[in-house]
Amino acid sequence: MNGTPQPFGLLAEVTHRCPLHCVYCSNPLALLDRADELATEDWLRVIGQAAELGVLQVHLSGGEPLVRGDLETLVAECRRLGLYTNLITSGLGLTESRAESLVAAGLNSAQLSIQGDAAEATDLIAASKQFGKKEAAARIIRDAGLPLNMNVVLHRLNLARLDAIIDVCARWDAERLELANAQYYGWALNNRELLMPSKTQLDQAVGVYERRKAELAERMEILWILPDYYEPYPKPCMGGWAQTALTVAPDGVVYPCPVAAEITTMEFASVRDHDLDWIWAKSPAFEAFRGTEWMPDPCRSCSRKELDFGGCRCQAFALTGDAGRTDPVCQHSPDHHLVQDALVRANQEDGGADRRLVYRRSDSPGV
Amino acid sequence: MAGHDLNATPRLATKAMLKHDNVREVELLLLPERVVLLNKSGAAILGLCDGSRTVRQLVDQLEHDFEAADLESDILSFLDDASGRGWVVVT
Ligand code: SF4
Ligand code: SF4
């Protein structure tokens, strides 16, 4: 690799505020509140600096980004700078007039998430019965002339409904559907015993995915995001640490990945104190795991090190307390038993039965 | 459906955006979840897919711009592929 790579994507987490309480939310356990959020001018500066760095696409996310009234201003600035914008939304708060003003500002695309195929699923997973609002949001997105991309996090409690979930997305005219098997960070790690599917469940779901993908090939692109605990090797997370994208949290702290805030042993810099360029190219946290030099064995001497970059640093930290270790998902990792043990429990008859779901709430003690 | 009708009008899909990347000095097509690196002719063709001209007019324009006479079949097959991928809508 010659020199510092240039990032393609900026994930702008404009807020942590959200009307939903998803049990697998990727936001950190310590949620930021409104008073911590960057002001409009700060975001405009960040967007400008991101464009200079080489960012091409800005994903507006949260929390629920629609709770911020200045989203149109941010989208318009992206458009002025020739950046592609994508709104990642739960759909709650998306009215026709809001969609129109966002499109007028230059919004290019929207991704709508659902928790399942009916209100009961939304209630169980997100502690909200607002399924009708999601259907309305899907229609509003399409009526505004935007492509409808949908995303569903899959886990033990909804995998059996996969057929019905795909039906809903097809009925709402989604162009693309991401079936994202739950990844176990933050809230999802807290709920792992209840969310982790058994092998049998997963195999059945893969069958459904393959059948529907072929059936709907002309209408809807369906993607399957692998459940990494069941894979022999880790995912090439984000194309490697600080290689292709960056995340700016609501308070302006910049991370190489959306869940890196969990790595409490590292210090991440804020756009309140530094330019994005310095943070990306020079800050110690971004440099720490860039490339392959930092790797311990078994990665250091492994032929796959340029393929998966030793896996996910956040997962290594979450499971071992050390962000610099090989991702425990890897079968060569000395910590692989941590993943194996979780799988054994998930495949027992009564897996997780005596646990209760922990909903994402800002008043939850950071368990 | 695609570009074989010379009187059809191609238009870039709403979700797609063309961009000249000043940082990397390349022509790109931006889509919701991917970035496509375009060659010079691809960028030139897509740049003319704005819903204001027919395939025939687009071919004429490019043959004029590139001072070439035999671009029709290349352009048609590019448009076929581009509409199959959902980059352009041909009406
Ligand atoms: S995962 Fe659920 S709770 Fe978290 S931001 Fe998205 S919609 Fe809100
Ligand atoms: S040892 Fe490291 S580089 Fe090799 S497959 Fe495992 S995680 Fe990847």
Side-chain angles (χ1 to χ4, degrees), chain A residues 36-50:
Chain A
D36 303 314
E37 291 176 9
L38 289 181
T40 310
E41 311 83 77
D42 299 321
W43 277 113
L44 295 176
R45 188 180 72 245
V46 169
I47 290 167
Q49 292 179 355

Side-chain angles (χ1 to χ4, degrees), chain A residues 317-343:
Chain A
F317 179 80
L319 297 183
T320 74
D322 178 355
R325 289 179 76 80
T326 296
D327 188 333
V329 157
C330 180
Q331 60 187 8
H332 304 310
S333 156
D335 306 308
H336 189 53
H337 63 275
L338 297 170
V339 167
Q340 286 299 310
D341 291 349
L343 289 181

Side-chain angles (χ1 to χ4, degrees), chain A residues 233-234 295 298-299 302-305 308-311 326-327 330 332:
Chain A
Y233 299 116
M295 287 180 178
C299 298
C302 176
S303 62
R304 290 182 55 89
K305 68 179 173 188
D308 62 33
F309 316 105
T326 296
D327 188 333
C330 180
H332 304 310

